Amino acid sequence: MPLDNRDADHGTQKVSADIVVIGAGLAGLVAAATAYAAGKTVAVLDQEPEASVGGQAHWSFGGLFMVNTPEQRRLGVKDNTELALSDWLASAAFDRIQDGNARKWAEAYVDFASGEKRQWLRSLGVGIFPLVQWAERGGYGPRGHGNTVPRFHVMWGTGPALVEPFLAKVREGVDNRRISLHFRHRAASLTRAAGRVTGVSGDVLEGSTAARGQQSGRRVAGSFEAKAGAVVVTTGGIGGNHAAVRRQWPGNTAPDDMLSGVPASVDGDFLSAVESAGGSLINADRMWHYPEGIHNYHPVWPNHGIRILPGPSSLWLDAEGHQLPAPLFPGFDSQGALRHIVGTGHGYSWFVLNRTIALKELALSGSEQNPDLTNKDVRLLASRLRPTTDAPIQRFLDRGADFLQASSPAGLAERMNQLSGAFLIDAAELGAVIRARDDQVSSGLGKDPQMAAIRAARRFATDKLMRVAPPHRLTDPQHGPLIAIRLSVVTRKSLGGITTDLHSRVLDGDGMAIPGLYAAGEAAGFGGGGIHGYRALEGTFLGGCLFTGRAAGRHAAASV
C-alpha cells in the first residue's frame, strides 16, 4: 500500500499503509519497528506531540524481569524457569474462566525472560546494570506472592535506553519513507469491511508545544482516515484518568485523593472503540496502583506523583499511627499494603525512619529521578554508596511537601498532624512504637519479623552494598534526625485489557480472532487481557510491552 506522510491542518486527511499502529509508546514503537523490519509500510498515530514519543517507558526506571542471567549468577543467585513460573503463578492467582489466554501468555513470557530476552536486548545495544535488585519479596511462604530471588534488572540508561533502539529503527523507516509518524492524531473508531478491520478514523488535534509529559490541548483542527491491512492498538492504560480508575476500583473503595504516576494522556479512551468493534475487554477491576506515592516538588503533569522504591527498614504506619501487620513491610507486598491502607478508611499512610535509612534505602522510581543510571554517569553512581547533599532523595527531604523532620518522636508526631490536618497521631503512642522497634535492635536478636527480614536482606550482596542499612536504633542521634514521609496512593498500571491470543490478535466475546485487529502492551493487559492476574512481579511491565509489541508486529506483518 502507498504511504502518505502528509499532515493536514484542516479537513480530512487520508493515510494509508500496510500496518497502522495506534500509540507511540514502547509497545507501539516495538510493533512498528518489527513490522518495518518485515518489509511492511507502517503509519504510527499518537494523540500527543512528538516530544512525548516513547510514552511512559521514557519515564520508567528501566527495570526488567529476567531469569537465570549472568548478572544473577555473579551475585550468587540461583534461579531457573520453573521457579520463576511458580512465583508468577502464585502472584497472579488466576481464578477466572477468561484467564486462559493470560496464563498462556505468562508461560510464554517467562520462557522469553529465561531465554532470548537478554541476548536480544544486548544485540540492540541495551546495557544492563550489574547489580540486580530485589523488589516485591512477598512474605507469605514459598507458595505465596513475590519473587523467591532477585530478578529486577535495571537497564543502563533506564527507560530512555530501552526506548532508543526501537525509536532509532522507526526513524530509519521514516528516512526510507516506509514509516510515517502522525502526532496529534487522536484515534476515535475502527473501520471494518467484510468482517475485517481495515483502518481507523479520528481527529487531528491542534498543534501543541507541550514538553514531554505535559498536558496538551484537545482542540480539534480536522479529521483523518487511515486505511491499512492490519491495525495494532497500543494505546496504554487508564492511570491518568482518575474517573475511570474509580469506576473500575474493586468495591468502589478508591481513596478520595490520589496522585498520578503517569501523564494525563494515559486515559484509556480508545478501549471503548475496540469494544465497539467487537473486541473483548476483561479484568477491568485488576489494576496495579502503589501506596508509596509522594508529590513531585517539580511536577511535569497534573497531580504528578512519584513512587518510592523502599528498602525494608522504615516503620510503615497507617494514618492513625498503627504499624502495618507482617508481612506488609516496605518492599514486600505493595498491593497487600494498598488494600490494608484503603481498608482503614484513609487514603494515606506514613514511613517513619531516620536520615541514614532515607539516604541508603529510598530509591525513587523514574528515569528523571535517577540521573546517574539514566545518564550512565559512573562517578555520580558511586555517590549512591556515599550519599551526598545533592542526592535525589535529599532534594525531596529539602523540598518535598510530604517529608517531615524532627529531633524527637513527639516533635515528629506534631508535624505529622499539622501536615495531615487530622491530628490522628498520638505522640506517646508513636514514641512507644519507635521505642519498641529500637529495643528489638538493641537486643541483638529479638522477635520482630521485620528485623529478621532486614537481616535476611543484608545477606544479598546488592542489598548490603546499596539498598539496606545496617540495623540501628531509629533514635540514635548519629543517624538522625527522625523523618516521616506521608505516602499517598499513586495510580499506575492496568492489569486487565483487550483479550488477545499468543499472536496478539484481538479476540471477540466468543474467543474468535477479529481479522486485521491486534493489540499489545498495557492496552492488552500486557497480553491476553491480564498476563499478571491480580498481582505483578516487578519488572514485567516494560518487558510485557517488548514481548507483546514484537508479537503484534510480527503477526500483523505476516497477515498482510
Side-chain angles (χ1 to χ4, degrees), residues 23-34 36 44 50-55 57-58 124 126 159-175 179 181 183 212 546:
L26 179 59
L29 294 175
V30 173
T34 303
Y36 161 70
V44 181
E50 186 172 2
S52 288
V53 69
H58 172 88
L124 296 173
V126 179
L162 197 57
V163 170
E164 179 52 37
F166 304 103
L167 181 57
K169 193 69 173 177
V170 167
R171 285 174 172 155
E172 175 192 307
V174 171
D175 291 341
I179 295 179
L181 298 175
F183 297 102
R212 180 185 295 278
L546 297 173

Side-chain angles (χ1 to χ4, degrees), residues 33 64 66 232 364:
L64 291 178
M66 289 193 280
V232 181
L364 299 170

